[in-house]
Amino acid sequence: DIVMTQSPDSLAVSLGERATINCKSSQSILYNSNNKNYLAWYQQKPGQPPKLLIYWASTRESGVPDRFSGSGSGTDFSLTISSLQAEDVAVYYCQQYYSSPHTFGQGTKLESK
Amino acid sequence: EVQVVESGGGLVQPGGSLRLACEVSGFTCSNYWMHWVRQVPGKGLVWVSRINSDGSSTNYADSVKGRFTISRDNGKSTLYLQMNSLRAEDTAVYYCATGRGTYISSWFDCWGQGTLVTVSS
């Protein structure tokens, strides 16, 4: 199974500041035939299900604010929130869909400072 | 409005069975392949099972293989998870999620609110 490791486990950022969450896969999740990275990002607020933010490592889901962006390739990826808003406080997960079983990172708890 | 609504969770003794259901309505979410994902309260997300559009292909996590069965009734727009021989470690919130991408490579675009399964004597 591909192991997804996020860092840090928790992060406190001031409102209006940039927040960056990292995700590393135990093997490359770049599919060479289509040059796509098989990685998604989700946001989960307390008591709610996860919400899809980004897929193909950098494609924002419809309706997701443009302050959220994804980057990276191969084994190293990042989710960046350019200017933290109060409603962004949540746990964030990365997920690989390159191979089965699809696996998630352990989550990063983002708080406001 | 898109809705994904799970039901069927509850308290069950070890070795017991439960059947979860998930009804999908609306058209924004892809609903060709469907998944179950579980989450121990306060912990991370774990993929459990998937099924293709007509129910002819299914896959399971090793931890539930041989004990859980995923199925669907497209006429009722409903997904099921039959869970047998339940263990304490199956205790979790079970989410139904729609998959986008391909059957074998999906991200999850719509999620239900989840249903809690507690396995305890």
Side-chain angles (χ1 to χ4, degrees), chain A residues 6-113:
Chain A
Q6 292 180 226
S7 62
D9 289 334
S10 62
L11 180 63
V13 173
S14 299
L15 295 179
E17 295 299 307
R18 178 186 298 261
T20 299
I21 297 168
N22 301 303
C23 176
K24 187 175 184 68
S25 56
S26 60
Q27 66 184 73
S28 177
I29 54 175
L30 170 64
Y31 194 40
N32 290 329
S33 66
N34 60 10
N35 200 36
K36 288 183 179 290
N37 289 282
Y38 284 50
L39 184 98
W41 287 97
Y42 302 87
Q43 174 194 66
Q44 187 177 32
K45 296 180 180 180
Q48 295 186 20
K51 173 188 174 184
L52 175 66
L53 297 175
I54 285 169
Y55 55 96
W56 294 132
S58 60
T59 302
R60 202 178 302 114
E61 174 71 338
S62 175
V64 173
D66 61 6
R67 63 180 180 274
F68 290 90
S69 64
S71 63
S73 185
T75 60
D76 293 281
F77 301 90
S78 296
L79 173 71
T80 298
I81 307 171
S82 60
S83 175
L84 187 72
Q85 305 300 302
E87 61 265 32
D88 301 334
V89 170
V91 178
Y92 291 83
Y93 295 93
C94 61
Q95 175 233 336
Q96 66 80 19
Y97 47 97
Y98 181 88
S99 68
S100 293
H102 297 343
T103 48
F104 293 86
Q106 80 277 17
T108 294
K109 185 174 184 179
L110 177 59
E111 299 173 308
S112 62
K113 194 184 293 184

Side-chain angles (χ1 to χ4, degrees), chain B residues 21-98:
Chain B
C22 167
E23 185 172 354
V24 180
S25 60
F27 299 98
T28 303
C29 298
S30 52
N31 63 352
Y32 295 110
W33 24 93
M34 301 287 298
H35 301 256
W36 289 98
V37 177
R38 68 185 182 185
Q39 184 175 38
V40 174
K43 301 297 183 183
L45 299 161
V46 178
W47 174 82
V48 173
S49 182
R50 68 178 171 221
I51 188 167
N52 69 345
S53 56
D54 64 4
S56 62
S57 183
T58 60
N59 297 94
Y60 301 91
D62 286 345
S63 58
V64 307
K65 201 173 294 182
R67 300 188 298 123
F68 290 11
T69 302
I70 190 172
S71 62
R72 65 192 296 166
D73 183 336
N74 288 336
K76 296 181 179 179
S77 298
T78 301
L79 174 74
Y80 301 100
L81 186 67
Q82 177 67 43
M83 304 186 296
N84 298 330
S85 303
L86 282 161
R87 306 167 179 167
E89 55 265 35
D90 296 318
T91 295
V93 174
Y94 284 74
Y95 294 104
C96 165
T98 60

